[in-house]
């Protein structure tokens, strides 16, 4: 599908809905055919309606665009309902099915009796319907109830659209709150940010100003504080110190107030002192009384948690300590004898560290195995699995991502699952079926890539582990921490409570890879030894000077994917992943995705496409999931490929982990293009070829573990594009951003 020819001029059409082609109950997304005066053929209108029926007379606002397959359509951005003026229109309206108790035959009788006064009679004198043959008092009550329901929907939609709420969000608001929509939006529009995905603090704030909510409303202060904590969680924090929370909230509230109307701005010039730390602190104190906020005192510092974060962190520590209370007694000589026989039969030799890891895994209730690339983590795990099998244990294998689980299963020769599937997520109850009352049916569980496991997933896992089960967490602690809140693997190691074995001997075969050698060089704070790129490379780790200008770096990446990579025998559409330190800027994921999409998956008449929120998706595009979607059972960071786009049904099919997942157009804000993704989002995945831009424009994000993580995602070839100065800065910056967690202290 080629890009639609959108005419930006806003127009108004008035007509009667003849038929509904498509209507999605959950989002309100609708395709309908409307008879408009002056048009010979029916007009196709597309937009969001809470409920719509044939026979309704609407005035719709929007613009025209040409759909390459379905022709000219009218993209509706707002509407209001008009009463039909003709007897035929009234009859069609009433008989459309909009009102329970009134079908086409009854509608004909009502209109025949009351004529053009029919709608006024139903509106103001509905009891008179008993005058119509065949309509009794019971049916009148049914008609009255439905008529009032429809009127409420119309009133809500008119109110919301009148206050600048888009039709898409207006539908979601009505679906969420029903008859109480106007009351909630008028009283506390900030509740929308808590309850409706896609409406955050900033959108709720704009609505609040338009409905006249005071900039100093307690609801606004409370929502601002919760928004700051949510943003902190996205940066990995489990809490914020009170001064940091208050200062950030003051800044947020002041900045957003500047977007208010002139009257509000005039008030602010007089009363700006009211948005101060004292008022915000008072709101925080009130939130602790209502348990919307947990404040923990540590020394002289007050730490502010969202309740779910506080109780989850506290309970995770308790579960771990309880698990450690159950020691395991093993016959050590027998275990050592088995290891000797096993290694001899396999004609291999374990290093002292690997031997220690296998013995500890046999004797520990919970254990951490960590180490960088090439240090033998995989073979150590394989030996542990074989030992546990020899001991008659039933083993469960899991990893945070589908690809990591697949690699783990191939290594062990057993089925491995994602953690969400291992714990059996139940969309109906928005939780896992496996918990303390229904524990996992295993004697031992291995979780690979555990540096990716965040606070909430770790807690769910520990809840599902029986007291007699053993847990082995495997990961590389030098990689970036999880995308979600916490730094579980690092905290467990730092606590000193959990047995840990660190593998740091790089084996000879692995050391032949420059990717692995340079990863360890970077990890030790040394500048990597990179081969300058050429068409006859001798190394699997190359460097291309990206220059000092971002435009030049983008040009270099474009030439690599279109010329250099294909020359080496790789398919850039499936083998190459561009990994970026940042999302913004010319050398960020957003811009590079547009550039790479145009190069690797350009538009063509044969390829369907859809434009949504400034993003164009085509069949064949690589995409990434941006949030946990428990209904579809896809999770933040999952990668997929657009397989089909149904422009009639407004559905996009994306293949994720060998299964097809359908998205309504209205839900496409959950996904983004993934020709280029952030290094954070790449964790747990491996790619044949990685291209990693590292430039001075990424300065605020540059760190050693960021570059280390990106480099170790490459299996066969890694190409760093950028300035040597930026690489040097990254290598010298370690763990630049600390995360606020207290798991270590709770375990102590």
């Amino acid at each position: 599908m080629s890009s639609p020819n959108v005419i930006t001029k806003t127009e108004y059409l008035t007509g009667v809905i003849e038929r509904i082609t498509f209507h999605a109950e959950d989002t309100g997304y609708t395709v309908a055919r409307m008879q408009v005066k002056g048009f010979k053929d029916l007009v196709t209108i597309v937009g969001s309606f809470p409920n719509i029926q044939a026979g309704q007379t609407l005035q719709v606002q929007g613009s025209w665009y040409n759909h390459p397959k379905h022709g000219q359509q009218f993209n509706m951005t707002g509407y209001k309902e008009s009463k039909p003026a003709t007897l035929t229109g009234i009859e069609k309206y009433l008989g459309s099915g909009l009102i329970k108790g009134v079908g086409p035959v009854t509608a004909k009788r009502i209109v025949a009796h009351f004529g053009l006064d029919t709608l006024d009679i139903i509106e103001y004198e509905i009891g008179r319907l008993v005058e119509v043959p065949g309509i009794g008092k019971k049916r009148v009550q049914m008609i009255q109830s439905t008529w009032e329901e429809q009127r409420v929907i119309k009133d809500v939609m008119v109110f919301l659209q009148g206050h600048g709420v888009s039709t898409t969000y207006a539908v979601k608001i009505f679906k969420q709150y029903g008859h109480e929509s106007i009351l909630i939006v008028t009283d506390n529009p900030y509740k929308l940010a808590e309850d409706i995905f896609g409406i955050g603090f900033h959108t709720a704030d704009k609505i609040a100003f338009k409905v006249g909510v005071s900039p100093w409303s307690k609801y606004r202060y409370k929502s601002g504080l919760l928004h700051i904590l949510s943003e902190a969680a996205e940066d990995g924090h489990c809490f914020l110190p009170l001064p940091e929370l208050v200062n950030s909230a003051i800044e947020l509230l002041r900045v957003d107030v500047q977007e208010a109307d002139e009257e509000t701005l005039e008030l602010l010039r007089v009363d700006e002192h009211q948005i101060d730390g004292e008022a915000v602190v008072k709101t925080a104190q009130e939130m602790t009384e209502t348990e919307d906020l947990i404040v923990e005192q540590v020394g002289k510092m007050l730490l502010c948690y969202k309740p779910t974060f506080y109780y989850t962190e506290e309970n995770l520590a308790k579960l771990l300590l309880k698990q450690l209370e159950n020691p395991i007694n093993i016959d050590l000589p027998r275990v050592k004898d088995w290891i000797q026989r096993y290694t001899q039969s396999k004609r291999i030799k374990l290093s002292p560290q690997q031997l220690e890891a296998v013995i500890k895994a046999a004797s520990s209730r919970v254990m951490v195995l960590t180490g960088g690339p090439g240090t033998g983590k995989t073979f150590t795990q394989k030996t542990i699995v074989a030992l546990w099998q020899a001991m008659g244990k039933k083993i469960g294998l899991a990893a945070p991502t589908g690809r990591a689980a697949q690699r783990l299963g191939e290594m062990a020769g057993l089925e491995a699952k994602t953690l969400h599937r291992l714990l059996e997520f139940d969309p109906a109850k928005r939780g896992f079926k496996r918990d303390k009352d229904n524990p996992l049916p295993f004697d031992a569980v291995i979780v690979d890539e555990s540096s990716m496991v965040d606070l909430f997933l770790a807690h769910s896992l520990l809840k599902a582990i029986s007291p007699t089960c053993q847990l082995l967490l495997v990961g590389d602690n030098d990689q970036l921490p999880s995308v979600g809140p916490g730094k579980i693997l690092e905290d467990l190691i730092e606590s000193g409570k959990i047995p840990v074995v660190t593998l740091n001997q790089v084996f000879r075969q692995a050391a032949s890879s420059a990717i692995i050698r340079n990863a360890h060089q970077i990890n030790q704070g040394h500048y990597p030894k990179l081969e300058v790129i050429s068409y006859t490379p001798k190394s699997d780790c190359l460097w291309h000077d990206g220059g000092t200008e971002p435009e030049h770096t983008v040009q270099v990446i474009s030439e690599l994917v279109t010329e250099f990579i294909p020359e080496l025998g790789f398919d850039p559409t499936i083998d190459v992943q561009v990994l970026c330190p940042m999302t913004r800027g010319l050398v960020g994921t957003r811009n590079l995705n547009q550039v790479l999409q145009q190069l690797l998956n350009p538009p063509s008449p044969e390829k369907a496409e859809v434009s949504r929120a400034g993003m164009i998706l085509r069949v064949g595009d690589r995409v990434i999931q941006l949030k946990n979607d428990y209904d579809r059972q896809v999770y933040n960071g999952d990668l997929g490929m657009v397989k089909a786009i149904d422009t009639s049904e407004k559905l996009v099919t994306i293949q994720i982990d060998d299964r097809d997942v359908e998205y309504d157009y209205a839900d496409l804000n959950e996904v983004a293009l993934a020709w280029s993704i952030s290094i954070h989002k790449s964790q747990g995945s491996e790619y044949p070829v990685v291209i990693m831009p590292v430039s001075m424009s990424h300065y605020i994000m540059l760190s050693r573990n960021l570059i280390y993580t990106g480099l170790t995602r490459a299996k066969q070839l890694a190409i760093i594009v950028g300035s040597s100065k930026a690489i040097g800065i990254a290598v010298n910056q370690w763990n630049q951003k600390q995360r606020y967690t207290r798991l270590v202290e709770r375990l102590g």
Side-chain angles (χ1 to χ4, degrees):
M1 161 182 168
S2 59
S3 298
N5 181 21
V6 179
I7 301 173
T8 56
K9 180 183 175 184
T10 299
E11 296 186 30
Y12 295 86
L13 301 178
T14 300
V16 178
I17 300 297
E18 287 290 328
R19 63 176 180 271
I20 311 300
T21 304
F22 173 78
H23 177 71
E25 281 294 328
D26 54 343
T27 63
Y29 190 87
T30 303
V31 180
R33 302 278 280 163
M34 186 165 77
Q35 180 68 62
V36 180
K37 187 177 180 181
F39 287 76
K40 181 181 178 182
D41 299 321
L42 295 177
V43 173
T44 300
I45 61 170
V46 179
S48 292
F49 298 83
N51 67 344
I52 184 172
Q53 299 288 338
Q56 285 179 280
T57 301
L58 303 179
Q59 183 189 71
V60 293
Q61 173 187 346
S63 57
W64 294 97
Y65 70 95
N66 289 317
H67 191 291
K69 184 177 178 182
H70 302 291
Q72 197 173 54
Q73 297 184 347
F74 192 78
N75 187 29
M76 187 278 296
T77 56
Y79 76 96
K80 63 181 181 180
E81 184 170 11
S82 305
K83 292 180 181 178
T86 66
L87 290 176
T88 303
I90 294 171
E91 187 180 310
K92 195 163 192 174
Y93 176 62
L94 288 180
S96 66
L98 183 71
I99 303 164
K100 285 181 182 176
V102 180
V105 174
T106 304
K108 195 176 188 71
R109 287 177 188 162
I110 294 172
V111 174
H113 189 83
F114 295 113
L116 291 174
D117 295 329
T118 296
L119 296 181
D120 287 333
I121 295 292
I122 295 175
E123 184 78 41
Y124 304 111
E125 301 177 84
I126 198 164
R128 287 186 59 191
L129 288 180
V130 295
E131 299 174 15
V132 179
I135 297 182
K137 288 184 178 180
K138 199 168 184 180
R139 188 183 289 195
V140 170
Q141 290 175 350
M142 184 190 300
I143 294 169
Q144 183 176 19
S145 174
T146 309
W147 182 263
E148 288 175 357
E149 173 82 16
Q150 298 303 318
R151 186 170 56 193
V152 168
I153 293 173
K154 291 167 198 145
D155 290 345
V156 169
M157 297 303 291
V158 169
F159 171 82
L160 293 173
Q161 291 179 59
H163 288 86
V165 181
S166 71
T167 52
T168 298
Y169 286 140
V171 170
K172 288 187 175 184
I173 291 169
F174 184 80
K175 297 288 185 187
Q176 179 75 24
Y177 304 123
H179 295 187
E180 296 183 345
S181 298
I182 294 177
L183 178 65
I184 287 171
V185 171
T186 305
D187 182 49
N188 179 18
Y190 296 100
K191 189 168 172 55
L192 307 179
E194 299 175 34
D195 297 339
I196 300 174
F197 177 73
I199 299 183
F201 173 81
H202 298 284
T203 302
D205 215 26
K206 289 175 182 175
I207 296 171
F209 285 136
K210 290 188 177 182
V211 299
V213 174
S214 165
W216 306 287
S217 158
K218 64 179 180 180
Y219 294 130
R220 184 169 190 261
Y221 280 28
K222 175 185 172 183
S223 183
L225 287 164
L226 292 175
H227 176 74
I228 295 298
L229 286 174
S230 295
E231 284 197 324
E234 289 181 9
D235 288 333
H237 301 302
C238 296
F239 65 85
L240 284 179
L242 181 62
E244 192 171 330
L245 173 61
V246 169
N247 290 336
S248 297
I250 291 171
E251 186 66 24
L252 170 76
L253 296 168
R254 282 180 176 161
V255 168
D256 268 35
V257 164
Q258 303 310 311
E259 298 180 6
D261 56 28
E262 287 299 319
E263 186 179 347
T264 305
L265 286 173
E266 192 59 41
L267 277 171
L268 289 174
R269 280 189 273 273
V270 177
D271 294 321
E272 188 174 0
H273 67 277
Q274 292 189 39
I275 301 180
D276 60 16
E278 187 177 336
V280 177
V281 169
K282 185 179 178 182
T283 302
Q285 289 171 340
E286 291 173 356
M287 289 170 69
T288 62
E289 293 168 9
T290 57
E291 296 188 352
D292 291 311
L293 196 68
I294 302 289
V295 177
E296 183 177 32
Q297 184 163 354
V298 178
K300 295 182 179 180
M301 185 65 72
L302 295 175
L303 310 180
C304 300
Y305 284 84
K306 279 188 173 181
T308 52
F309 286 70
Y310 176 83
Y311 293 119
T312 301
E313 187 178 75
E314 185 179 56
N315 199 40
L316 173 60
K318 289 178 180 177
L319 289 169
L320 280 163
L321 292 173
K322 188 174 182 181
Q323 199 73 14
L324 293 170
E325 288 175 358
N326 301 314
I328 296 175
N329 296 313
I330 61 167
D331 185 339
L332 187 58
R334 189 177 177 187
V335 168
K336 287 183 176 179
D337 180 61
W338 179 91
I339 294 171
Q340 184 177 8
R341 285 185 282 107
Y342 177 80
T343 53
Q344 283 177 349
S345 68
K346 299 292 181 183
R347 297 184 178 180
I348 47 95
K349 184 177 181 181
L350 296 176
S351 70
Q353 293 171 337
Q354 289 177 312
L355 179 61
E356 179 192 5
V358 176
I359 292 173
K360 273 194 177 178
S363 57
S364 301
R365 188 64 64 190
V366 181
M367 177 189 147
V368 170
L369 173 64
T370 184
T375 58
K377 289 197 305 293
T378 298
F379 186 73
T380 305
Q381 288 180 79
K382 194 170 185 176
T383 306
I384 291 168
V385 167
L387 173 58
W388 277 344
Q389 285 177 321
M391 296 169 76
K393 294 182 181 291
K394 187 178 180 182
I395 303 167
L397 303 176
T401 68
R403 292 186 182 186
Q406 184 180 358
R407 291 198 307 273
L408 177 62
E410 289 169 355
M411 174 277 296
L414 296 172
E415 183 186 16
K417 299 179 179 179
T418 64
L419 277 166
H420 282 86
R421 288 186 181 145
L422 183 83
L423 297 172
E424 298 177 24
F425 186 82
D426 182 1
K429 70 173 189 176
R430 301 272 169 156
F432 294 107
K433 292 180 182 177
R434 295 292 178 179
D435 54 22
K436 64 177 182 177
D437 298 320
N438 182 30
L440 291 166
F442 302 114
D443 304 305
V445 171
I446 296 179
V447 178
D448 202 3
E449 297 286 357
S450 55
S451 63
M452 297 177 64
V453 177
D454 66 16
L455 173 68
F456 293 102
L457 196 51
H459 181 242
S460 296
L461 174 65
L462 263 295
K463 279 201 302 183
I465 297 289
S466 70
T468 57
C469 184
Q470 293 178 260
L471 176 62
L472 174 62
L473 300 172
V474 183
D476 185 347
N477 191 43
D478 293 320
Q479 287 188 28
L480 292 167
S482 58
V483 174
K487 47 185 177 71
I488 301 301
L489 187 65
E490 183 180 332
D491 283 349
L492 293 184
I493 294 170
E494 188 183 335
S495 73
K497 292 286 186 177
I498 312 293
V500 177
V501 176
T502 302
L503 305 178
N504 52 31
Q505 177 186 336
V506 180
F507 289 89
R508 186 180 302 172
Q509 185 177 357
S512 64
S513 166
I515 294 173
I516 290 176
R517 292 198 307 272
N518 280 320
H520 287 280
Q521 285 282 103
I522 290 169
N523 202 27
Q524 293 161 17
H526 303 308
Y527 194 93
K529 295 178 181 178
L530 303 169
E531 179 184 320
V532 177
I533 198 165
S534 69
Y535 276 96
T536 55
K538 298 177 182 176
S539 169
D540 60 0
C541 194
L542 308 175
W543 174 66
H544 194 303
D545 186 353
T548 57
E549 297 299 324
E551 292 86 352
H552 182 59
T553 304
V554 173
Q555 181 61 34
V556 168
I557 293 171
S558 300
E559 291 172 358
L560 286 173
V561 298
T562 56
E563 299 173 22
F564 182 74
I565 296 297
E567 284 285 332
L568 295 181
F570 294 104
D571 182 347
T573 62
I574 58 174
D575 294 332
V576 179
Q577 184 63 62
V578 177
L579 301 180
C580 288
M582 295 176 66
T583 57
R584 296 177 183 174
L586 282 178
V587 197
T589 58
R590 291 175 189 168
N591 181 60
L592 282 174
N593 266 317
Q594 293 184 18
V595 172
L596 293 167
Q597 182 192 46
Q598 203 65 16
L599 291 172
L600 301 176
N601 193 31
S604 72
E606 296 79 29
K607 286 181 182 175
E609 69 177 35
V610 56
S611 179
R612 203 73 178 167
M615 173 183 68
I616 293 175
L617 279 185
R618 295 188 188 103
V619 170
D621 271 333
R622 192 183 299 169
V623 293
I624 187 168
Q625 179 75 16
L626 300 177
K627 66 179 284 283
N628 289 340
D629 186 329
Y630 298 114
D631 293 324
R632 293 185 175 89
Q633 296 188 47
V634 290
Y635 306 101
N636 188 0
D638 281 355
L639 291 170
M641 186 77 73
V642 178
K643 190 174 177 182
I645 297 176
D646 189 327
T647 53
S648 298
E649 297 296 326
K650 307 300 176 186
L651 291 173
V652 176
T653 303
I654 300 175
Q655 186 174 349
I656 299 174
D657 288 340
D658 298 323
R659 67 188 184 96
D660 290 345
V661 183
E662 286 191 342
Y663 291 76
D664 186 274
Y665 277 16
D667 295 325
L668 289 179
N669 58 349
E670 291 187 14
V671 300
L673 289 170
W675 298 109
S676 173
I677 63 173
S678 70
I679 295 173
H680 268 94
K681 295 278 191 183
S682 73
Q683 293 179 81
S685 295
E686 289 182 345
Y687 316 96
V689 181
V690 163
I691 298 175
M692 183 166 53
V694 182
S695 80
M696 291 304 295
S697 63
H698 300 139
Y699 181 81
I700 61 170
M701 289 296 295
L702 295 178
S703 68
R704 190 185 307 170
N705 53 348
L706 186 83
I707 305 304
Y708 172 83
T709 301
L711 189 62
T712 52
R713 300 307 90 207
K715 289 171 66 178
Q716 295 172 253
L717 178 65
I719 305 173
I720 297 178
V721 179
S723 71
S724 55
K725 182 180 179 181
I727 298 170
I729 289 171
V731 169
N732 288 321
Q733 296 270 23
W734 174 248
N735 212 13
Q736 194 175 12
K737 289 189 176 181
Q738 291 290 340
R739 294 188 170 198
Y740 290 127
T741 76
R742 278 186 49 77
L743 183 59
V744 172
E745 290 77 6
R746 296 189 198 287
L747 287 170

